[in-house]
Amino acid sequence: MKVHKIAVIPGDGVGPEVIREGVRVLEKAAELDGSFRFEFTWFPWGCEYYLKNGRMMDEDGISQLEKFDAIYLGAVGYPGVPDHISLWDLLLVIRKSFDQYVNLRPIVLLKGAPCPLKDVKREDIDMIFVRENSEGEYAGSGSWLYRGKPNEVVIQDGVFSRAGCERIMRYAFELAREKKKSLTSISKGNALNYSMVFWDQIFKEVSAEYPDVETHSYLVDAASMLMVKEPWRFEIVVTSNLFGDILTDLGAAIAGGMGLAAGANLNPERKYPSMFEPIHGSAPDIAGQGKANPLAAIWSASQMMDFFGHEDWGKKILSSIEAVLEEGKSLTPDLGGTATTEETTGKVIEMLCSNIKCMGKLE
Ligand code: NAI
Ligand code: MG
């Protein structure tokens, strides 16, 4: 039997509450399938760990994680620990050490999901964002001069390498080709006269290798407006680290909210483990109350199944999420319901079972 070894980092706030539920769904899928199983190893890293030990993860944390097939992460960050520490010393270290240069974020309006836009049909919002995840504006390069003095200066560099731009664009083109969808590049070549002119140039060069893929290029400000007014224009989208971060939150807002937004951090060469996570944070305002929506975490578990080559299960999990939304009776408060985190998951599992006509046999 195939064994998938997963490092689980539940993290802070609602992180553990939603990750527990994603693990329940994964275990159920494995049980129903019978040809593979999961081996979960839990790591207590995060802000609580930081307050006790002065670090977000073990000193040799990266080498501990390296032997796993994937990482399943909740959320990190909590009041009391500065956000730049919790982000840089855990999440970003993992993304960078494991060269997870693709951040794949589906923005799909599932049936039954709330949408703040008027007159939008389900099929109008059906995008996959391919966000550059290893360099760009989040390269962490810069300097802080004359700290605290009147002539204080801060420089934050954007780092765009030819290799880095080419590989993310090729990944996006391959995805567009495979899915027979158009590819849109989002940049800002008019104002960012080095980095984004370079980005646009490389997009043009790489697109010459894919004459069969329809392409579009937008400036990020126009793209933000169009994502709201004409979201159907976007199918596969490739963009830089910062723009991708911001636009996918906008995407989450038009496709059901943060409780439904999932993301995968991929090392496509599979040299290192990839990481799957809901994109929301630790939501301290609702932590510990059983109110967190587990669907984003469960959606990211379905992305994990896709990545492991169990696309059938990836699809089944996603359609179970959709069935729960459509039925509308077991939703958490962010989606207007009164169900607890656990109850929503229970319904997903019920849908998953009925999906494959095995109700009664299980649970
Ligand atoms: P957040 O995503 O935690 O919360 C924003 C809003 O969305 C809140 O009203 C929250 O209640 C709601 N929300 C988030 N997830 C939800 C869920 N599963 N179900 C229902 N409602 C949900 O973002 P915020 O408040 O800006 O950040 C809180 C902490 O999380 C900070 O320390 C921040 O640094 C960290 N953070 C961590 C991320 C990660 O680990 N990937 C991503 C974003 C923020
Ligand atoms: Mg973000």
Side-chain angles (χ1 to χ4, degrees):
M1 185 183 290
K2 178 91 194 125
V3 180
H4 300 301
K5 291 191 182 142
I6 315 294
V8 185
I9 309 176
D12 307 306
V14 299
E17 300 171 35
V18 296
I19 284 304
R20 197 185 311 137
E21 307 303 313
V23 166
R24 267 174 79 194
V25 173
L26 285 170
E27 279 186 326
K28 180 58 73 182
E31 181 188 327
L32 293 169
D33 185 279
S35 74
F36 63 89
R37 68 183 178 84
F38 292 98
E39 213 175 273
F40 296 102
T41 307
W42 299 70
F43 292 88
W45 299 335
C47 289
E48 213 173 300
Y49 186 88
Y50 177 90
L51 293 173
K52 271 193 225 133
N53 304 288
R55 28 184 337 119
M56 290 294 293
M57 66 192 315
D58 286 346
E59 208 164 343
D60 64 345
I62 291 298
S63 59
Q64 290 187 42
L65 293 175
E66 197 167 351
K67 56 179 190 288
F68 290 90
D69 299 317
I71 301 162
Y72 191 35
L73 179 115
V76 284
Y78 220 67
V81 178
D83 279 347
H84 67 275
I85 291 186
S86 54
L87 188 69
W88 271 99
D89 293 0
L90 187 72
L91 192 67
L92 293 186
V93 177
I94 296 174
R95 284 183 184 168
K96 282 176 198 297
S97 304
F98 293 147
D99 205 16
Q100 295 167 347
Y101 63 88
V102 175
N103 190 198
L104 205 63
R105 293 189 173 182
I107 294 174
V108 179
L109 183 64
L110 298 180
K111 275 181 247 155
C115 178
L117 307 182
K118 266 196 301 184
D119 305 324
V120 165
K121 297 186 292 295
R122 182 201 186 282
E123 57 277 14
D124 289 341
I125 301 181
D126 191 356
M127 322 173 188
I128 301 177
F129 263 72
V130 179
R131 165 188 171 197
E132 205 294 318
N133 211 28
S134 67
E135 53 171 34
E137 307 87 342
Y138 293 0
S141 157
S143 30
W144 198 316
L145 306 172
Y146 316 114
R147 221 178 251 259
K149 306 256 167 45
N151 54 342
E152 189 166 20
V153 175
V154 172
I155 298 168
Q156 182 94 46
D157 300 316
V159 176
F160 291 78
S161 65
R162 172 168 283 276
C165 293
E166 283 185 2
R167 67 182 181 174
I168 195 69
M169 287 175 192
R170 287 215 172 85
Y171 183 92
F173 271 106
E174 290 290 335
L175 188 66
R177 175 177 275 173
E178 179 200 316
K179 297 205 174 284
K180 299 193 175 21
K181 299 265 176 99
S182 66
L183 175 63
T184 297
S185 159
I186 297 179
S187 65
K188 185 71 186 170
N190 54 350
L192 297 171
N193 52 340
Y194 296 105
S195 57
M196 288 297 163
V197 171
F198 184 63
W199 175 280
D200 289 344
Q201 179 195 317
I202 295 184
F203 185 68
K204 228 184 226 154
E205 284 173 24
V206 177
S207 70
E209 297 168 27
Y210 296 86
D212 51 314
V213 176
E214 177 189 330
T215 59
H216 304 275
S217 256
Y218 294 120
L219 296 171
V220 65
D221 34 5
S224 330
M225 186 260 300
L226 288 171
M227 273 179 72
V228 171
K229 296 193 77 160
E230 299 174 23
W232 49 87
R233 281 177 184 250
F234 301 90
E235 294 183 336
I236 311 292
V237 179
V238 65
T239 189
S240 70
N241 214 329
L242 171 68
F243 294 166
D245 189 4
I246 299 169
L247 290 174
T248 49
D249 267 31
L250 171 62
I254 61 172
M258 291 308 277
L260 274 170
N265 302 276
L266 305 179
N267 174 248
E269 292 75 25
R270 294 168 196 256
K271 188 169 171 211
Y272 303 106
S274 292
M275 178 163 66
F276 300 83
E277 53 167 344
I279 79 172
H280 60 72
S282 57
D285 53 333
I286 57 162
Q289 300 171 35
K291 284 184 187 167
N293 186 345
L295 296 178
I298 297 172
W299 194 331
S300 63
S302 93
Q303 289 187 293
M304 192 194 292
M305 298 301 263
D306 290 343
F307 192 68
F308 283 152
H310 304 301
E311 285 95 349
D312 50 337
W313 282 105
K315 273 202 199 91
K316 279 178 205 157
I317 294 173
L318 192 55
S319 60
S320 302
I321 294 175
E322 188 159 32
V324 171
L325 287 166
E326 241 192 320
E327 189 221 36
K329 289 190 189 145
S330 306
L331 304 177
T332 43
D334 59 307
L335 296 177
T338 54
T340 63
T341 310
E342 240 182 287
E343 285 163 357
T344 299
T345 312
K347 187 53 96 177
V348 174
I349 290 175
E350 195 185 310
M351 295 294 186
L352 193 60
C353 292
S354 63
N355 216 338
I356 57 167
K357 301 194 175 40
C358 65
M359 283 290 285
K361 187 177 128 201
L362 297 149
E363 287 266 306

